[in-house]
Amino acid sequence: LNGVRYTYHYSISDGFRVGAFRRNASFAYPDGFQQLDDYTAEKTDWDFHLGYKRMYHMGQSQIYGGADLIYTSGKVEAVAMSNGGNIPASYSYRNLGASAFFGYSFFFNTHLSLTFEGEAYFTGIQNQSPLSNSQEPVSTFLLDDNEIGLNASVYLNFHLVKMKKRCTCPKVRI
């Protein structure tokens, strides 16, 4: 579990969604990195998403797609060894970006569903600030200016209010 998401469905096929997620990553280059003899880093991100979702219903299943705006607040802490001495580096950063997503949901009942989602995203660094123990040039190697990636997620959804029913039965007309 690394985050939460809430979707407000203003119609049966359209909704707005917000989410907050935490991501952690560790990097280690024991054989050296650029001009460094040894390098390790810990990266922690908090991602905040705001987006639009369009859904198509097929009985107990649903497929959907949409787009999110992304704001990321993150921090990197690294230790590098160069010429026998340790060089600590840490800084915080903020990213802005966007993503496109698609997914499939299966409804077990009116209050519980399971979702599989894929997302392609792009973010760019808007602001970096070194923390108190940061030394150059190590912090210049920790992040690229832009990030492009893919995410795959699985969600267990709890529906707090009864979902609007969409009947798939044929209508009898007299």
Side-chain angles (χ1 to χ4, degrees), residues 76-144:
V76 174
E77 295 180 357
V79 175
M81 183 170 277
S82 179
N83 298 327
N86 284 342
I87 305 170
S90 63
Y91 66 92
S92 63
Y93 56 91
R94 291 188 295 274
N95 292 355
L96 293 176
S99 71
F101 59 86
F102 60 93
Y104 170 80
S105 295
F106 182 79
F107 289 81
F108 297 107
N109 58 40
T110 57
H111 298 290
L112 185 67
S113 66
L114 184 67
T115 298
F116 300 95
E117 182 176 294
E119 173 189 41
Y121 67 92
F122 170 82
T123 60
I125 293 177
Q126 302 301 310
N127 187 357
Q128 290 183 11
S129 56
L131 299 175
S132 61
N133 64 343
S134 183
Q135 297 179 15
E136 292 295 338
V138 178
S139 63
T140 61
F141 301 128
L142 299 180
L143 283 178
D144 293 332

Side-chain angles (χ1 to χ4, degrees), residues 16 22 30 37 45-47 63 69 82 95 99-100 108 130 133 140 142 146 151 157 159 164 168:
F16 293 109
R22 182 177 175 169
D37 300 328
D45 288 343
W46 278 98
D47 293 339
I63 58 172
L69 296 175
S82 179
N95 292 355
S99 71
F108 297 107
N133 64 343
T140 61
L142 299 180
N146 300 310
N151 286 329
N157 306 301
H159 305 281
K164 296 175 185 174
T168 57

